Amino acid sequence: MAPDFAARYRAPAWLPGGDLQTIWAATRARRHRGAPPRYARERWDTPDGDFIDVDHLAEGAAGPDATHLVLFHGLEGSSASQYAQAFACIARERGWRYSVPHFRGCSGALNRAPRAYHSGDHAEIDWILRRLRERGRRPLRVVGVSLGGNALLRWAEEQGTAAAAVAGAIAALSAPLDLTAAGAALDRGINRLLYARMFLATMKPRALAKLELHPGLFDAGRLRAATTIRAFDDAFTAPVHGYRDAADYWARASAKPQLARLRLPTLLLNARNDPFVPAASLPGAADVNGRVTLWQPAQGGHVGFPQGAPPGHVLAMPAAVADWLAGQG
């Protein structure tokens, strides 16, 4: 698809509504053409004595002059997520290098340090991107998905003009740019049953495992009692990462209030029927500057955008985003 994806995208008639478009895309839709992408894993030691795992596409171009696409995954995601595999497929077909850094704890191994990851983790993004940038001659092309998209934007906002030396262009996909609005949406109604419960089912055991390594890190009773994303962030995310509480974390980590600080080509893609991200919370032209492109199709769900006859596929959106990134010089 050409870069007018927002105007052209139509969800399949057999997948009506944001929930179906989200869930089917994540669980049933085809995510690659041909064989699944193959990754080679690399473990990096972090400056604070911990580690992260980075998966690199093991097929295709490897030279320093090749376009290098980097993807930051969403909450509880990984290189195995449907969107990560779809972007891997697109990168393979175009002869691009492709890397998926895992946020701490998301690669299948329990990390050593007390910290985990969060929506405003721009310092971690900076360290990762600068290390990847050293491996090629051209600035990176970077995609952030959902939580990873907000964190990527916070990095670009904090870096200002310095970001362009690292990344030639960035794209944030289905990012919860207003974390207060997104958190409230996740914690009410059907969303609390469908999505919040799913996230908590993996986040709570992982947090408790971290507590065994670092006794006293947080209040285990409050964590065990958490049945909402807000309660989890109050009990774990906020205190572990230097925020007063969930409200403070959501306010300070949200990318939307600072979008005008962006100084490199930036694409923001959000479906207006995203069950996680209320349409009313999305940025408009007055919230951004001329370096920012807004794609806000009526349909698509959360990191969904399925197309085609059953079972459908999720390759059109990554292809359109890759086209946009490639066209930014």
Side-chain angles (χ1 to χ4, degrees):
M1 281 190 175
D4 54 356
F5 177 78
R8 291 191 179 191
Y9 178 74
R10 298 292 184 274
W14 56 276
L15 281 177
D19 289 319
L20 274 177
Q21 291 158 20
T22 299
I23 296 168
W24 188 271
T27 60
R28 295 289 184 267
R30 184 163 52 89
R31 55 186 66 181
H32 50 77
R33 285 180 279 265
R38 293 186 297 107
Y39 295 114
R41 176 159 293 185
E42 185 178 13
R43 179 160 289 185
W44 294 355
D45 292 325
T46 64
D48 62 345
D50 204 350
F51 67 88
I52 66 164
D53 290 325
V54 184
D55 283 355
H56 305 285
L57 185 63
E59 310 155 272
D65 291 320
T67 296
H68 192 169
L69 178 64
V70 180
L71 182 140
F72 289 99
H73 61 76
L75 183 65
E76 298 298 275
S78 72
S79 62
S81 297
Q82 93 278 1
Y83 52 82
Q85 291 198 328
F87 271 98
C89 174
I90 299 302
R92 177 172 63 187
E93 292 175 350
R94 298 182 182 210
W96 291 2
R97 301 161 73 194
Y98 177 67
S99 301
V100 182
H102 290 88
F103 291 119
R104 302 193 197 199
C106 291
S107 66
L110 182 64
N111 284 78
R112 297 188 289 263
R115 77 189 303 281
Y117 69 102
H118 60 88
S119 294
D121 207 357
H122 57 83
E124 189 92 320
I125 297 276
D126 186 59
W127 179 74
I128 292 169
L129 288 181
R130 290 184 184 279
R131 183 160 177 172
L132 288 170
R133 176 67 179 89
E134 294 173 354
R135 300 187 173 191
R137 298 194 180 104
R138 304 169 61 187
L140 306 166
R141 297 294 188 264
V142 190
V143 170
V145 178
S146 195
L147 175 149
N150 186 86
L152 174 63
L153 292 171
R154 289 294 296 115
W155 167 78
E157 291 165 351
E158 291 296 318
Q159 290 294 309
T161 56
V166 179
I170 64 174
L173 316 180
S174 298
L177 308 175
D178 179 339
L179 292 168
T180 301
L186 270 173
D187 281 343
R188 65 173 174 254
I190 191 68
N191 283 356
R192 183 170 173 178
L193 296 175
L194 282 178
Y195 306 115
R197 186 166 65 177
M198 174 191 70
F199 288 133
L200 291 170
T202 56
M203 293 193 302
K204 289 172 68 174
R206 190 176 295 158
L208 291 169
K210 190 171 286 288
L211 187 63
E212 293 184 8
L213 293 179
H214 303 279
L217 182 62
F218 58 87
D219 186 327
R222 290 183 67 199
L223 188 283
R224 289 191 177 95
T227 59
T228 64
I229 298 299
R230 186 185 191 101
F232 178 87
D233 284 345
D234 265 331
F236 176 76
T237 312
V240 170
H241 299 103
Y243 297 98
R244 184 179 65 253
D245 52 23
D248 180 48
Y249 161 45
W250 291 352
R252 290 168 54 195
S254 292
K256 183 180 177 181
Q258 302 187 62
L259 291 174
R261 295 175 62 188
L262 294 166
R263 293 293 181 268
L264 76 171
T266 302
L267 172 66
L268 306 182
L269 169 59
N270 293 92
R272 300 191 70 83
N273 71 344
D274 187 329
F276 297 9
V277 183
S281 73
L282 296 179
D287 298 305
V288 300
N289 57 42
R291 297 175 180 85
V292 179
T293 297
L294 299 176
W295 285 357
Q296 295 178 357
Q299 302 180 53
H302 187 76
V303 205
F305 306 101
Q307 286 202 315
H313 65 84
V314 290
L315 294 165
M317 180 272 284
V321 171
D323 285 344
W324 186 90
L325 290 169
Q328 301 309 306

